[in-house]
């Protein structure tokens, strides 16, 4: 009975595409999230997501003007806008740290307002934007899936393949500079793959919840691991698990896949945080460094 | 002094490890360094001294390319500052920052990042062995898999030194490596530095006071208000430092604190 239901889900072509997309997003988003959390730029994904909304609307506008199918250029538009936005944020961050916060805020507001404004100019409605704001994984087409596969592969190849170099830059930028590493190129690489991650994840969880998928699995992994490498691997496991599980739930229950996935991820975080004392008890250790006494103490 | 002078003269005939001429650094609109000339011969150990805010940290950061040089020239190991410099032969130890990054990283991971440079973006095959050798040389191998944020301040500093040493540099640039460091770490560091000096490594070290490194340093450059005011034998400390009323925050050769621990007043809380 349960098996029949599962087979039914797995043989549904719509669901097959959605599951592949969810799998890729579950793998790619936490990779990028690990670097963002390490940099304390957890909200960067949100900033890029807001800018991507303007890109969606712009793509829509251009698509209408050139007489293409409605919304055909929405995803490419989001990719372009997100990449430009991410590089802009990176350049502002590089110039001076103080203004980065304000620049991020400006992108948040400008991105949303620009998106809403442009979509009304394009003759669309805010309802058209909802699919991008909250995700629409059930409507993933064959072409969408290919774009997702390509973008997610780029994110994984760069994010995992260059892990040591990206770690060095995120961990200590001054040292990386003094080591002769191409710091600016690596920073821009991070910004660009963050932007690609946002647009990949847009279809699954929506622009408003993209950041959650990048950050929450890393937050879970951080609770139990002590190294960067293991944090990243564990975050990928958590990401894939919640994406596939959340999506499967919505096959039977009529719920928003994006919201279900994010709520599930936060649930996992709460559970692991609660169980953490038990998990850590197996490895007792004294938090005080082992050093000789400063003063003579008569025992 | 004659021996030292002859030694310096022979060394100067070779390419200097560091050659800075008329260096000017402007940060945030204020001139931090002006007209700084500094030449460090191969194999030399030079201390960079000066009060807080005299520009000594900015100077080493400018030398390794961490802050931009406004005017003047910097040559490292015979190559002008830029991508062509043999970065794999240069080790840099920045001032320890307390800012812990968001994601935990083990000591081994931090040290492994020292193996990367402009022409190597992925760790080499023998990375594992080299990382453990570097940690071992600073007495930290048993902490290799512990997150850096759980280590003491002195241990964290040693991790940063290991990160610079893992590439087996010919030129080592250190920024206040013993500031705020516990005594065992200071001693371990002095021993490590002596070993490197024996192997001919060039060392440029920013110090607040010579402290435990005094026996190793033959030449000191003193900065004041962003300009060099002394270049030669290490100057004697000013009266305040030598006087009885001065609260010692550093161990001396003859200080009881240098001979095995548990005695003497220490300053780290």
């Amino acid at each position: 009975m349960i098996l029949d239901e599962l087979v039914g889900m797995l043989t549904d072509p719509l669901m097959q595409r959605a599951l592949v997309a969810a799998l890729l997003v579950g793998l790619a988003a936490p990779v990028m999230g690990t670097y963002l959390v390490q940099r304390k730029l957890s909200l960067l994904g949100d900033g890029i997501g807001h800018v991507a909304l303007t890109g969606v609307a712009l793509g829509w506008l251009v698509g209408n003007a050139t007489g293409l199918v409605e919304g055909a250029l929405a995803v490419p538009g989001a990719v372009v806008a997100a990449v430009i936005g991410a590089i802009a944020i990176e350049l502002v961050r590089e110039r001076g740290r103080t203004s980065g916060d304000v620049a991020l805020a400006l992108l948040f507001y400008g991105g949303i307002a620009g998106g809403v404004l442009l979509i009304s100019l394009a003759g669309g409605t805010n309802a058209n934007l909802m699919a991008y704001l909250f995700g629409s994984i059930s409507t993933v087409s064959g072409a969408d899936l290919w774009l997702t596969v390509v973008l997610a592969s780029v994110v994984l190849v760069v994010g995992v393949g260059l892990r040591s170099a990206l770690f060095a830059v995120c961990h200590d930028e001054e040292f990386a500079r003094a080591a002769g590493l191409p710091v600016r190129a690596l920073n821009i690489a991070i910004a660009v793959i963050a932007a690609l991650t946002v647009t990949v994840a847009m279809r699954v969880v929506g622009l408003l919840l993209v950041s959650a998928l990048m950050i929450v699995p890393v937050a879970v992994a951080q609770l139990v691991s002590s190294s960067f490498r293991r944090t990243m691997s564990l975050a990928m496991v958590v990401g894939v698990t919640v994406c596939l599980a959340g999506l499967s739930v919505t096959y039977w229950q009529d719920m928003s896949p994006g919201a279900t996935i994010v709520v599930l991820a936060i649930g996992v975080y709460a559970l692991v945080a609660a169980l953490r004392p038990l998990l850590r008890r197996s490895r007792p250790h004294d938090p005080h460094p082992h050093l000789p006494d400063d003063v003579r103490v008569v025992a | 002094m004659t021996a030292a002078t002859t030694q310096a003269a022979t060394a100067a005939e070779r390419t200097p490890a560091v050659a800075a001429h008329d260096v000017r650094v402007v940060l945030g609109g204020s001139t931090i360094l002006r007209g700084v000339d500094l030449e460090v011969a191969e194999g030399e150990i030079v201390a960079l001294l000066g009060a807080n805010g005299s520009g000594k940290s900015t100077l080493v950061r400018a030398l390794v390319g961490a802050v931009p040089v406004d005017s003047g020239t910097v040559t490292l190991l015979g190559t002008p500052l830029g991508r062509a410099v043999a970065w794999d032969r240069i080790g840099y130890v920045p001032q320890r920052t307390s800012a812990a990054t968001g994601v935990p990283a083990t000591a081994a991971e931090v040290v492994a990042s020292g193996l990367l440079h402009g022409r190597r973006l992925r760790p080499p095959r023998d990375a594992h062995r080299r990382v453990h050798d570097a940690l071992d040389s600073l007495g930290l191998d048993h902490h290799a898999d512990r997150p850096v944020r759980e280590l003491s301040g002195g241990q964290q500093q040693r991790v940063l030194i290991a990160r610079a040493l893992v590439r087996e540099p010919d030129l080592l640039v250190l920024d206040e490596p013993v500031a705020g460091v516990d005594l065992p770490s200071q001693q371990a560091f002095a021993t490590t530095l002596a070993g490197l000096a024996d192997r001919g490594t060039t060392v440029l070290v920013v110090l607040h006071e010579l402290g435990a490194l005094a026996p190793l340093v033959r030449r000191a450059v003193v900065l004041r208000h962003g300009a060099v005011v002394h270049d030669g034998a290490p100057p004697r400390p000013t009266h305040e430092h030598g006087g009885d009323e001065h609260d010692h925050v550093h161990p001396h050769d003859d200080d009881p604190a240098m001979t095995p621990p548990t005695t003497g007043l220490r300053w780290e809380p």
Side-chain angles (χ1 to χ4, degrees):
Chain A
M1 165 74 181
I2 295 173
L3 203 65
D4 288 346
E5 286 281 332
L6 267 180
V7 170
M9 177 180 91
L10 292 175
T11 47
D12 179 347
L14 205 71
M15 201 59 192
Q16 282 175 344
R17 285 199 293 269
L19 282 170
V20 173
L23 173 78
L24 289 170
V25 169
L27 280 176
V31 169
M32 206 47 235
T34 311
Y35 297 115
L36 296 188
V37 171
Q38 197 195 16
R39 280 228 147 137
K40 306 208 164 151
L41 280 176
S42 300
L43 292 178
L44 182 71
D46 280 309
I48 297 172
H50 286 58
V51 176
L53 190 71
T54 297
V56 165
L58 208 58
W60 201 288
L61 193 66
V62 174
N64 275 7
T66 50
L68 287 166
V69 187
E70 192 173 59
L73 289 180
V75 175
V79 173
V80 172
V83 169
I84 292 174
I87 293 177
I89 296 172
E90 173 51 35
L91 293 180
V92 168
R93 196 192 65 83
E94 187 189 89
R95 288 288 154 86
R97 275 151 206 288
T98 46
S99 54
D101 176 44
V102 177
L104 208 57
L106 287 175
L107 278 174
F108 269 57
Y109 314 138
I112 288 280
V116 173
L117 202 65
L118 286 173
I119 201 84
S120 54
L121 280 178
T125 61
N126 288 349
N128 295 129
L129 287 183
M130 291 303 265
Y132 298 95
L133 281 174
F134 295 104
S136 57
I137 194 167
S138 46
T139 63
V140 171
S141 69
D144 284 342
L145 190 61
W146 276 113
L147 190 63
T148 303
V149 169
V150 171
L151 294 181
S153 309
V154 172
V155 172
L156 287 171
V157 167
V158 177
V160 177
L162 283 180
R163 188 178 58 215
S164 300
L166 296 176
F167 167 79
V169 169
C170 291
H171 182 75
D172 188 342
E173 196 167 313
E174 179 174 326
F175 176 80
R177 227 173 265 284
L181 284 170
V183 171
R184 174 180 261 191
L186 290 169
N187 276 334
I188 291 197
I190 290 175
V192 169
I193 58 171
L196 296 183
T197 310
V198 167
T199 43
V200 168
M202 175 175 82
R203 295 310 299 263
V204 178
V205 290
L207 289 170
L208 286 180
L209 291 174
V210 159
S211 223
L213 207 49
M214 292 163 88
I215 305 305
V216 180
V218 181
V220 174
Q222 242 181 352
L223 288 173
V224 290
S225 61
S226 55
S227 79
F228 186 80
R229 188 197 169 106
R230 289 189 54 173
T231 302
M232 186 182 274
S233 322
L234 198 57
M236 289 167 83
V237 171
V238 172
V240 169
T241 310
V242 297
C243 278
L244 293 182
L247 182 63
S248 306
V249 167
T250 62
Y251 180 73
W252 292 287
Q253 293 288 323
D254 187 21
M255 295 192 291
S256 155
T260 309
I261 289 169
V262 172
V263 167
L264 202 58
I266 291 174
V268 171
Y269 178 84
L271 189 70
V272 174
L275 292 177
R276 190 181 176 213
L278 300 173
L279 293 169
R280 282 235 152 182
R281 195 168 291 170
S282 56
R283 192 167 59 105
H285 94 258
D286 183 358
H288 310 97
H290 182 70
L291 294 170
D293 292 336
D294 288 355
V295 290
R296 197 198 303 268
V297 176
V298 183
Chain B
M1 265 304 84
T2 24
T5 324
T6 336
Q7 200 186 356
T10 39
E13 284 162 18
R14 285 173 280 166
T15 323
V18 178
H21 294 293
D22 200 23
V23 167
R24 180 185 155 92
V25 172
V26 179
L27 290 179
S30 33
T31 308
I32 310 293
L33 296 173
R34 62 189 92 218
V36 172
D37 287 313
L38 177 66
E39 207 160 284
V40 181
E42 251 178 54
E44 224 182 348
I45 296 187
V46 176
L48 203 53
L49 303 172
N52 287 333
S54 58
K56 50 194 196 306
S57 278
T58 306
L59 178 56
V60 289
R61 293 172 70 208
L63 292 178
V64 297
V67 298
V69 175
D70 209 53
S71 66
T73 56
V74 174
T75 309
L76 294 178
L77 302 168
T79 316
L81 200 59
R83 294 201 61 177
V85 168
W87 290 110
D88 53 321
R89 292 172 55 205
I90 299 170
Y92 171 58
V93 181
Q95 238 172 50
R96 181 166 56 91
T97 49
S98 53
T101 50
V103 176
T106 62
E109 284 179 319
V110 172
V111 173
S113 67
L115 287 167
L116 307 177
H117 49 83
R119 283 175 291 278
R120 179 178 282 288
L121 296 180
R122 291 168 60 84
R125 271 168 205 284
D126 57 348
H128 184 80
R129 181 188 58 75
R130 288 171 68 179
V131 165
H132 284 272
D133 285 353
L135 280 167
D136 197 35
S137 73
L138 286 148
L140 279 176
D141 202 31
H142 55 296
H143 290 315
D145 295 324
R146 277 186 64 189
V148 172
R149 63 165 76 141
E150 282 180 17
L151 302 178
S152 77
Q155 289 169 333
Q156 288 184 13
Q157 184 71 62
R158 277 191 272 167
V159 169
L160 297 191
I161 295 170
R163 179 177 67 174
L165 293 182
V166 71
R167 49 171 72 179
E168 291 159 19
D170 296 326
L171 168 63
L172 189 59
V173 179
L174 309 105
D175 194 352
E176 301 251 18
V178 288
V181 162
D182 53 77
L183 198 62
S185 292
Q186 286 200 40
Q187 287 164 333
F189 174 63
T191 315
T192 308
L193 208 60
L196 289 170
D198 285 344
R199 274 186 272 147
T201 311
T202 311
V203 179
L204 177 62
V205 54
V206 172
L207 292 171
H208 193 59
E209 325 177 77
L210 290 177
L213 302 181
L216 293 167
V217 176
R218 298 235 172 75
R219 179 181 158 209
V221 173
V222 181
L223 286 181
R224 189 183 297 153
H225 295 293
V228 175
V229 292
H230 172 92
D231 186 348
R236 295 181 56 78
T238 50
H239 175 71
E240 295 87 329
H241 286 269
D244 289 340
E245 73 280 11
H246 176 60
D247 190 15
H248 269 274
V249 295
H250 57 95
H252 281 274
D253 277 342
D254 51 350
D255 199 329
M258 277 298 279
T259 50
T262 71
T263 52
L265 261 174
R266 267 264 315 295
W267 43 281
E268 175 134 303

